[in-house]
Amino acid sequence: MAVRSASEGILSDDNSSKRDELIELLKRSYWMEIETVMSYIANSINPDGVRAQEIIESLQADVQEELGHAQQFASRIKQLYGVVPGSLDFNAEQSYLQPPEHQTDIVHVIKGVIEAETGAIEHYNRIIEFTDGLDYVTQDMVIAILRDEEAHRRPFEGYLREYEVEGLA
Ligand SMILES: [Fe+2]
Ligand SMILES: [Fe+2]
């Protein structure tokens, strides 16, 4: 006898095409997190100067959180009967978080981090809307991740303000 699938929600047969769409959104999230891990590792090591230390410490902490997000997205992809993609499917997009010409260019890093967090916030808001009334488990998970991204962005806005006040950004 075939195993009965759920009659309601994202795991129901009726929602299989929505589920495929959602899996694609989750794969994109997974890659965004993975790329952010790479970019934050580099930018938590490269910067030079007294004022770089705060940025370095923030990004070091964020690396671990972004890695945790990537793992959560990967698990959810599997729970929805998708397959976590292999590394050959990866396409880098974060042009704005490449190492600056001068490693004392902290403003470049600050702006890059704000850009990455803003992109994540936009994409996760999209998933929260997409899953409304469809998949509350993914929605709940992504709301929690969105909370982290909003918390990651805020201090960098504050760092940027300091440079703006001094006419350096
Ligand atoms: Fe994240
Ligand atoms: Fe983040």
Side-chain angles (χ1 to χ4, degrees):
M1 199 179 88
V3 175
R4 194 174 76 84
S5 53
S7 60
E8 300 291 332
I10 193 65
L11 296 179
S12 70
D13 292 338
D14 288 350
N15 277 327
S16 69
S17 75
K18 286 269 176 207
R19 191 162 65 232
D20 289 343
E21 236 181 295
L22 178 57
I23 287 169
E24 290 310 309
L25 291 169
L26 295 174
K27 282 182 186 173
R28 173 154 175 69
S29 311
Y30 171 73
W31 287 131
M32 288 168 79
E33 296 290 350
I34 294 285
E35 187 171 14
T36 299
V37 167
M38 287 192 271
S39 294
Y40 286 8
I41 288 175
N43 286 291
S44 68
I45 305 280
N46 285 334
D48 279 322
V50 177
R51 300 177 80 172
Q53 293 316 304
E54 193 75 27
I55 308 298
I56 286 172
E57 279 169 36
S58 280
L59 288 180
Q60 275 172 350
D62 292 350
V63 164
Q64 304 306 322
E65 291 201 25
E66 310 298 13
L67 182 60
H69 296 163
Q71 289 174 309
Q72 289 182 64
F73 282 117
S75 310
R76 193 59 187 155
I77 288 167
K78 175 159 180 162
Q79 287 161 5
L80 296 177
Y81 308 125
V83 175
V84 182
S87 57
L88 289 180
D89 285 345
F90 177 68
N91 285 305
E93 290 178 354
Q94 295 180 347
S95 53
Y96 45 85
L97 269 174
Q98 302 309 299
E101 195 184 339
H102 301 290
Q103 300 316 315
T104 50
D105 186 356
I106 304 306
V107 171
H108 170 90
V109 176
I110 295 170
K111 287 182 173 169
V113 170
I114 292 172
E115 183 63 38
E117 297 296 342
T118 303
I121 287 167
E122 288 169 348
H123 186 59
Y124 300 162
N125 270 294
R126 218 170 294 141
I127 296 178
I128 290 164
E129 277 176 39
F130 185 86
T131 50
D132 200 48
L134 177 71
D135 179 356
Y136 294 112
V137 175
T138 298
Q139 189 181 53
D140 184 61
M141 181 188 91
V142 177
I143 288 170
I145 294 173
L146 176 62
R147 182 183 301 132
D148 289 344
E149 310 303 8
E150 289 182 354
H152 293 162
R153 184 172 67 170
R154 182 61 185 89
F156 283 82
E157 290 174 340
Y159 303 145
L160 189 62
R161 208 149 295 149
E162 192 179 290
Y163 285 91
E164 281 167 351
V165 166
E166 296 171 25
L168 297 171

